Amino acid sequence: MALAINIRADNSSAGEIEQLWEQVGVFEVEPSMRALGYRPHFTFAIYDSPAIDEKTAWDAMLAAVSGEAQLRIEFRRIRWFEGSPLVLWAEPAITKSLTRIHGAISAAIDPAHCRAHYRPGAWTPHCTLGSRIADERRDDAIAFAGAFDRKIEVLFDVVDCVAFPPVRIITEQKLPL
């Protein structure tokens, strides 16, 4: 079982991302994001190492968001991570807060314990829309991503530590306004 530390949108502004989940779900073998039973989010770090326990991960998250308010994040593009399966994601306007939180977590816990894609220099802030795009729907999914032409604003208001799979919230804290 892995541990992840995240910031999630636990409010009505998440609805626009969740609508995109439905639209992207048609390109998947079966819709992936609703199946998680978890709200739209950014993951700052994932730890598989038994050296990083729940308390260590949560303490790092709490220290990283100390004095931080809820984050209003704007999305204007849909991108993808190559691979099989292809993954579609909403690209955020990078904020100093997102970058600072990630950096503080990486400073608190040796990145060698973190999955490679979440380490400094490799981390791409993203809000996943679909993680199992069917190979035969790849071109359609990329065309959908390229045609996205609007702005979405989402308020990320809760930080948490989760274990997965399946997603189980271990501890959480609402950020102040």
Side-chain angles (χ1 to χ4, degrees):
M1 188 171 319
L3 289 176
I5 44 182
N6 312 298
I7 188 168
R8 72 176 195 265
D10 208 12
N11 60 74
S12 62
S13 73
E16 290 194 76
I17 293 290
E18 291 170 337
Q19 287 175 357
L20 286 172
W21 288 355
E22 302 305 323
Q23 292 174 289
V24 170
V26 303
F27 304 118
E28 296 184 280
V29 174
E30 67 181 64
S32 60
M33 297 311 293
R34 286 270 185 226
L36 289 179
Y38 187 69
R39 303 300 302 269
H41 62 282
F42 288 97
T43 298
F44 292 108
I46 298 177
Y47 304 102
D48 294 303
S49 168
I52 306 304
D53 61 17
E54 295 169 7
K55 181 177 180 351
T56 301
W58 184 238
D59 287 350
M61 177 56 110
L62 287 179
V65 298
S66 177
E68 197 69 60
Q70 297 176 7
L71 303 180
R72 185 166 301 282
I73 304 291
E74 182 178 289
F75 300 91
R76 290 183 181 249
R77 290 177 40 176
I78 295 176
R79 308 280 308 264
W80 58 91
F81 293 125
E82 289 292 343
S84 183
L86 188 78
V87 174
L88 287 189
W89 48 279
E91 178 182 53
I94 303 302
T95 68
K96 289 179 183 174
S97 293
L98 275 177
T99 304
R100 190 193 65 68
I101 293 167
H102 182 262
I105 292 165
S106 297
I109 299 174
D110 182 350
H113 295 292
C114 186
R115 286 189 184 173
H117 292 299
Y118 294 90
R119 294 177 185 166
W123 182 63
T124 300
H126 65 282
C127 187
T128 304
L129 302 175
S131 61
R132 293 183 279 191
I133 305 301
D135 289 339
E136 63 273 8
R137 300 297 313 270
R138 172 183 165 59
D139 292 343
D140 296 332
I142 289 172
F144 172 82
F148 184 80
D149 66 349
R150 60 190 174 107
K151 177 178 83 168
I152 294 174
E153 284 189 4
V154 179
L155 183 65
F156 289 83
D157 57 344
V158 176
V159 292
D160 64 23
C161 180
V162 304
F164 70 96
V167 175
R168 178 178 54 87
I169 298 171
I170 297 165
T171 190
E172 64 186 356
Q173 178 176 301
K174 189 166 182 88
L175 293 172
L177 290 171

